[in-house]
Amino acid sequence: MSTQNQPDLFLSDQDGNVSLSNLRNILLQRSLPSDRGPISGEGFTEISDHESNGFAFIECYCTTESSLGYYYEALLDDDGLTSRRVQHTYYSKSKLVFTESNNLILKFDWTSEEKAKTRVKELIESFGPQMEVFKVTDQLIRVLQENYHWTAAKIDRIVKDGDNTKKVSYTIDPSDSNSRSVVDEEYRDHGNLYHLTFEMPFDHVARNPNTPSLINVKLYSDGHRIVINEDEFGSVSDIRNFQIHLMNELIRIKNESDGV
C-alpha cells in the first residue's frame, strides 16, 4: 500500500508507514452490523490486533458484493405474463491482513471467492492508499527453485530448436535426493516458469509442536497467487505467524533479485 502524499490521517512517521491505530478506526467506521444471518452489505468485521516477532499487524474480514450475472424473472402484471431482467447478487468474504510496513495480505478460502479481489482493492483505495500487486515472476520462481527444496514446477512459452513442446508440468519425488530431474534440466532454460511448489522453513519460537518446520507453498504467476494448506498447521497463531514470515521472505527475496 502506497501512503505517500496521503493525508496525515494515514501516516505515522517520516517513513510514511501506515498508522495501524488510525487504520483500525477507519475499519470500525465501515464495520458490518453485528446481527447474525446472511450478510447484506459491504464492510469490515472481526477486526483484531496481532504481533509476530515484534511485527504488528491487523487482521479482519471484508465482505464485498459480487454478481452471478443476469437472469429473466417471470411475473404477472396488468399487461399479463411478462419477464424482467434481474441481476443475481451475493456477498462473499475475504480475510485481510494489514501490516505496519504498508503491506496487505488478501486471503480467500475458496478459489471461487477470488473474483472479489478487485472490489476489495477498490474499497481499500477509497481510504486513500494506492495498491500495487506483488507479482510472482519467472525470475522470482527461479531464485526460489535455486534456494529451496522444491517438488513441482510448470513451464510455458517453451522455445527449443527441434522440439515443438510449448508447455510442460512435472513433479519430483521428494524422498529421492540423489536423482536429478531430467525434464527440469531439459526445459527450464528454454521457457517461462509460471508455477512452483516448494518448502519454506518455519522455525517461529512459539511454533506449535504439531506444526511442521517445513511448510508447503505453491506460487502461481497466473493471478500472482500464493497457496498454503492451513490444515498443515497445529494452531491458528501459527497460520498468522507463518503468513507474515512468508510475506517478509518473499518481499526480501524479490527485492534482492530485482536489485532493490
Side-chain angles (χ1 to χ4, degrees):
M1 298 186 296
S2 171
T3 57
Q4 296 177 359
N5 301 320
Q6 301 299 327
D8 290 342
L9 172 70
F10 240 97
L11 304 182
S12 60
D13 54 36
Q14 293 180 345
D15 296 328
N17 289 332
V18 170
S19 166
L20 292 183
S21 60
N22 289 339
L23 174 60
R24 169 183 254 279
N25 290 334
I26 293 174
L27 296 174
L28 287 171
Q29 291 169 12
R30 305 188 183 199
S31 62
L32 291 169
S34 58
D35 295 340
R36 294 183 179 274
I39 298 298
S40 59
E42 295 185 325
F44 305 90
T45 188
E46 297 188 24
I47 304 164
S48 57
D49 300 299
H50 302 277
E51 186 176 292
S52 177
N53 287 343
F55 196 87
F57 59 97
I58 290 176
E59 187 175 80
C60 70
Y61 282 100
C62 174
T63 61
T64 51
E65 186 178 46
S66 298
S67 173
L68 290 176
Y70 291 86
Y71 63 94
Y72 286 87
E73 180 182 63
L75 71 155
L76 280 170
D77 59 19
D78 294 338
D79 297 323
L81 185 64
T82 185
S83 300
R84 65 181 176 186
R85 190 169 183 255
V86 181
Q87 185 179 23
H88 181 85
T89 60
Y90 65 97
Y91 292 91
S92 59
K93 77 177 192 311
S94 57
K95 182 173 282 188
L96 310 183
V97 179
F98 295 93
T99 76
E100 61 184 353
S101 58
N102 286 7
N103 293 309
L104 167 67
I105 301 173
L106 179 56
K107 298 176 61 183
F108 297 98
D109 292 333
W110 310 102
T111 303
S112 60
E113 292 179 327
E114 292 181 25
K115 62 162 60 176
K117 63 183 178 182
T118 299
R119 180 54 185 156
V120 174
K121 178 176 180 289
E122 291 174 353
L123 285 179
I124 296 169
E125 288 187 331
S126 70
F127 302 167
Q130 298 299 304
M131 310 296 294
E132 180 181 351
V133 176
F134 178 89
K135 294 185 177 180
V136 178
T137 62
D138 169 85
Q139 182 179 358
L140 173 63
I141 292 176
R142 290 180 184 275
V143 173
L144 292 169
Q145 191 181 39
E146 288 290 337
N147 292 279
Y148 293 89
H149 181 257
W150 62 277
T151 57
K154 293 182 180 181
I155 302 175
D156 66 359
R157 290 186 279 175
I158 295 172
V159 178
K160 193 172 185 291
D161 290 341
D163 190 338
N164 63 3
T165 303
K166 295 302 177 185
K167 183 181 296 187
V168 63
S169 302
Y170 47 101
T171 302
I172 64 172
D173 183 355
S175 63
D176 185 358
S177 59
N178 296 319
S179 301
R180 59 195 177 91
S181 173
V182 177
V183 174
D184 183 63
E185 294 177 358
E186 184 75 17
Y187 289 104
R188 65 178 300 181
D189 293 330
H190 299 278
N192 181 68
L193 277 161
Y194 69 100
H195 163 68
L196 186 75
T197 299
F198 73 101
E199 295 177 336
M200 172 64 73
F202 181 49
D203 57 357
H204 192 274
V205 63
R207 176 168 56 90
N208 186 290
N210 294 321
T211 300
S213 59
L214 293 172
I215 303 297
N216 289 297
V217 179
K218 298 180 180 181
L219 277 79
Y220 300 88
S221 62
D222 182 17
H224 306 293
R225 301 166 61 244
I226 299 168
V227 178
I228 60 174
N229 181 4
E230 295 191 351
D231 291 338
E232 285 192 60
F233 296 86
S235 68
V236 173
S237 62
D238 277 352
I239 297 173
R240 292 192 179 105
N241 291 330
F242 179 75
Q243 68 191 9
I244 295 297
H245 170 65
L246 178 63
M247 178 199 70
N248 288 333
E249 284 298 291
L250 291 178
I251 290 175
R252 177 188 64 80
I253 292 168
K254 193 170 194 301
N255 287 340
E256 289 179 355
S257 64
D258 292 343
V260 177

